Amino acid sequence: MNKFDYDYIIVGSGFGGSVSAYRLSEKGYSVLVIEQGKRWTPENLPSTNWKIWSYLWQPILGLHGFLRLRLFKHVMVLHGNAVGGGSITYAQTLLVPPDSVWNDGGWSSLDDWQNIMPAYYAMAKKMLGVTRNERGAAADEKLRQMAKAANVEDSFYYTDVGVFFGEKHDAPGTEYSDPYFGGKGPSRNSCIGCGGCMVGCHYNAKNSLDKNYLYLAEHNGVQLLPETRVVDVSPLGTSGDGDEGYRVKTVNSFAFFSKKPKFYTARSVIFSASSLGTQSLLFDLKDKGSLPNISSDLGNRVRTNSESILGVRYPGTDEDLSKGIAIGSGIHIDKNTHIEAVRYPDGSNLLSGLFTVMTGGRPGVVRILYWLMAIIKLLCTQPISGLRSLLPWRFSRETVIFLVMQTIEGHINMRWKRRWYWPFSKSLNSEGKPIPTFIPEANDFTGKVARATGGIGLSSLSEIAFNVPTTAHCMGGCAMSDSPETGVIDAKNRVFNYKNLYIIDGSMLSANLGVNPSLTITALAERAMSFIPNKVQQIKT
């Protein structure tokens, strides 16, 4: 029998990777998790997102943070790089999508989804500590007023989130011994409602993966390599199909010259590097011949929840709209369009640069003219408040950001090729029909409620300047399906044409969820792990 360094190597420590690591450790397997990002604690998290060197991720520029912004022809994607993946910077909103998503895409016929998924969602909710938001604040009340003005007040709700709120009679910030795992987990402090969830929780209240799945996995003996990037995964032996295991090559994430590669072997490998990360790595491995038989469907049908980011700003307001949790409430303005109220903590105004005055008009170059006209009109009619609305100061205190999501089907494709301005290497490039950058229903709503509540409507600058929407929910590209002609993995998350190779992250999603995908990724990862027997059973068989 071949001797491996580990039974499983997992590439990435986000929702798919952390779930897999913990469940495999419970089943008796030795596991190595490789994560290119850093390990973050309350002591080294940035105090504000203006500290871009420890907030944004772009190592070539010396930025070693946890949030990466990637601009493609069709979309700007925000995603996380850290131990715990996107859970360090996400808004911990954990919602179950409508049942209709299981009837769409290549996975529709693979299982009795509507009957089997509730149990996995329940497991995921328990592990992630999902509860109803108990820190309703000024921005949530603003959204309720807006819903009333738009005649959809009945749709207002407080979000289900992964936050520890403590006991109602205790003061916010109170410390408790492990409230979730019978003493096996870390102690926690109750949420103080500072609004800082997406800059990293400094107060030990956010249920990020390093507090649950990954924490428990490491205590079970799982090894974790942070600041390490996987650059090659190749089958061992002569069969070339992974039957004899894999060799994984890694380098330091932040090294540019003396990379000093290291090698590890494993019986099985799980790709959990996020939708974009997994696609990039698999495209590279297919292109250079390490995994040449990866399905040619790789990169197809990448979805974004059909999103738009809008907002309403109230220059000079005495209310502090930064308080609460990152996404505390939501509404439905029609059967397909869902809006969540988003906030950043006081002083974290970096992403104000993504916003500008609300602009109508047709998508494309013409919209830039509408934007210039909108700015001129704003400054002529409201010179003081208009100017203040365009500046970053007090942005988080004065703004309700709208995260707009739709369940309407739509997708792009990713391809691996050289860019005209950088012919020295290949990278992901988007192709296909443009993703809508202008959602009329959401823009109409924003304009109406801004007028009704005395605010100034905001649009996303990337939508106007580049005609691309912004999303934090990139999904698909390695779809689950019944054949390699229409997908990359099968119903058990196994990569077609290879043995002992899995994909368990957002790239596996085969439909547009219309809600934040983290809970669904977690639930599907739980399902994927249910197919893997205990190590003792596997040895016997």
Side-chain angles (χ1 to χ4, degrees):
M1 177 180 291
N2 290 328
K3 180 173 177 60
F4 301 101
D5 297 325
Y6 299 91
D7 295 318
Y8 283 83
I9 288 178
I10 300 174
V11 184
S13 62
F15 290 92
S18 291
V19 172
S20 300
Y22 176 49
R23 296 308 182 192
L24 288 170
S25 70
E26 285 189 313
K27 294 172 183 285
Y29 295 101
S30 60
V31 181
L32 172 67
V33 178
I34 302 175
E35 169 58 54
Q36 70 172 346
K38 296 172 62 174
R39 190 187 290 270
W40 295 92
T41 67
E43 290 71 36
N44 69 353
L45 283 166
S47 57
T48 168
N49 59 14
W50 284 111
K51 295 185 176 181
I52 61 172
W53 54 91
S54 56
Y55 178 62
L56 298 180
W57 171 273
Q58 193 58 261
I60 197 170
L61 299 178
L63 306 178
H64 297 169
F66 46 79
L67 178 67
R68 185 174 184 184
L69 283 67
R70 297 187 67 178
L71 179 62
F72 296 93
K73 180 179 179 181
H74 293 77
V75 65
M76 177 184 283
V77 179
L78 287 65
H79 66 107
N81 285 286
V83 172
S87 74
I88 302 303
T89 188
Y90 87 137
Q92 76 271 323
T93 305
L94 297 162
L95 303 177
V96 177
D99 286 343
S100 59
V101 303
W102 306 109
N103 299 323
D104 299 329
W107 61 13
S108 60
S109 62
L110 298 183
D111 208 337
D112 184 10
W113 297 105
Q114 294 184 19
N115 286 323
I116 65 104
M117 286 307 297
Y120 293 114
Y121 276 116
M123 294 171 65
K125 286 181 177 181
K126 181 178 179 181
M127 290 295 298
L128 295 174
V130 178
T131 187
R132 189 64 46 84
N133 174 27
E134 296 179 11
R135 293 288 182 269
D140 303 304
E141 187 55 36
K142 281 286 188 187
L143 186 63
R144 189 195 297 273
Q145 295 171 15
M146 295 171 182
K148 185 176 182 180
N151 297 316
V152 292
E153 186 178 11
D154 291 344
S155 73
F156 177 88
Y157 65 90
Y158 284 110
T159 47
D160 288 343
V161 292
V163 176
F164 179 63
F165 292 108
E167 300 294 335
K168 293 185 182 299
H169 59 271
D170 288 335
T174 299
E175 183 176 2
Y176 298 77
S177 59
D178 170 36
Y180 294 113
F181 306 111
K184 296 181 180 179
S187 62
R188 309 303 302 281
N189 293 75
S190 57
C191 175
I192 66 170
C194 68
C197 316
M198 292 191 290
V199 186
C201 181
H202 289 261
Y203 301 99
N204 198 31
K206 180 179 179 178
N207 295 343
S208 49
L209 292 166
D210 56 330
K211 301 290 197 303
N212 41 67
Y213 281 107
L214 200 55
Y215 180 94
L216 297 173
E218 290 193 89
H219 276 258
N220 280 355
V222 169
Q223 300 296 303
L224 191 145
L225 279 179
E227 302 179 33
T228 304
R229 185 164 61 91
V230 172
V231 294
D232 193 43
V233 177
S234 54
L236 295 169
T238 59
S239 65
D241 64 357
D243 184 52
E244 299 177 68
Y246 295 88
R247 186 181 78 154
V248 177
K249 178 182 178 181
T250 69
V251 297
N252 185 291
S253 297
F254 305 128
F256 293 108
F257 301 107
S258 180
K259 292 182 180 292
K260 297 180 180 179
K262 294 182 179 181
F263 299 88
Y264 305 90
T265 60
R267 164 63 72 184
S268 303
V269 173
I270 298 174
F271 293 98
S272 298
S274 81
S275 175
L276 291 181
T278 291
Q279 287 182 79
S280 294
L281 183 53
L282 290 180
F283 267 121
D284 187 38
L285 298 177
K286 181 178 175 69
D287 186 60
K288 68 186 181 183
S290 295
L291 295 175
N293 297 322
I294 293 289
S295 166
S296 295
D297 195 64
L298 175 65
N300 289 342
R301 298 177 301 283
V302 175
R303 297 173 170 88
T304 65
N305 267 344
S306 299
E307 291 177 49
S308 180
I309 297 181
L310 302 166
V312 179
R313 186 166 182 177
Y314 301 88
T317 181
D318 292 330
E319 293 184 286
D320 187 350
L321 300 176
S322 70
K323 301 306 180 187
I325 62 172
I327 296 180
S329 57
I331 60 174
H332 293 267
I333 62 174
D334 60 40
K335 66 178 183 179
N336 293 317
T337 310
H338 169 213
I339 294 178
E340 294 175 339
V342 182
R343 76 208 80 190
Y344 282 88
D346 188 18
S348 288
N349 302 320
L350 176 66
L351 296 186
S352 64
L354 296 179
F355 292 89
T356 188
V357 61
M358 187 174 176
T359 305
R362 295 173 299 178
V365 177
V366 174
R367 200 172 179 200
I368 296 177
L369 298 178
Y370 280 91
W371 171 57
L372 294 174
M373 292 170 59
I375 290 179
I376 293 171
K377 179 180 178 181
L378 176 66
L379 295 179
C380 288
T381 57
Q382 303 178 64
I384 297 177
S385 60
L387 179 60
R388 292 181 63 174
S389 74
L390 300 174
L391 299 176
W393 292 276
R394 288 176 52 91
F395 176 83
S396 58
R397 293 179 65 93
E398 299 176 347
T399 307
V400 181
I401 301 171
F402 295 156
L403 175 56
V404 184
M405 293 174 282
Q406 292 192 307
T407 53
I408 296 172
E409 175 61 15
H411 64 263
I412 57 175
N413 299 320
M414 289 292 181
R415 296 291 178 257
W416 190 246
K417 59 184 182 181
R418 303 180 194 276
R419 296 176 185 263
W420 64 268
Y421 57 83
W422 188 256
F424 308 105
S425 61
K426 293 182 180 180
S427 61
L428 283 182
N429 289 259
S430 62
E431 290 185 352
K433 295 181 179 179
I435 299 173
T437 57
F438 187 86
I439 299 176
E441 302 89 343
N443 281 264
D444 290 345
F445 171 83
T446 302
K448 180 177 181 178
V449 300
R451 292 188 295 272
T453 58
I456 295 174
L458 303 177
S459 290
S460 171
L461 190 57
S462 69
E463 296 178 10
I464 297 168
F466 304 110
N467 195 29
V468 299
T470 300
T471 182
H473 305 139
C474 186
M475 304 170 286
C478 300
M480 186 182 292
S481 187
D482 59 0
S483 78
E485 286 69 43
T486 56
V488 179
I489 58 174
D490 68 9
K492 296 183 178 181
N493 290 75
R494 299 173 298 193
V495 176
F496 287 122
N497 304 323
Y498 287 95
K499 299 177 181 178
N500 307 312
L501 201 62
Y502 302 82
I503 296 173
I504 306 175
D505 60 18
S507 68
M508 67 185 165
L509 300 179
S510 298
N512 189 21
L513 301 182
V515 298
N516 315 62
S518 301
L519 183 65
T520 296
I521 296 170
T522 305
L524 285 170
E526 290 279 18
R527 176 181 176 274
M529 289 298 102
S530 73
F531 297 118
I532 296 179
N534 292 334
K535 186 174 182 179
V536 173
Q537 293 174 314
Q538 189 178 57
I539 292 174
K540 289 180 178 179
T541 56

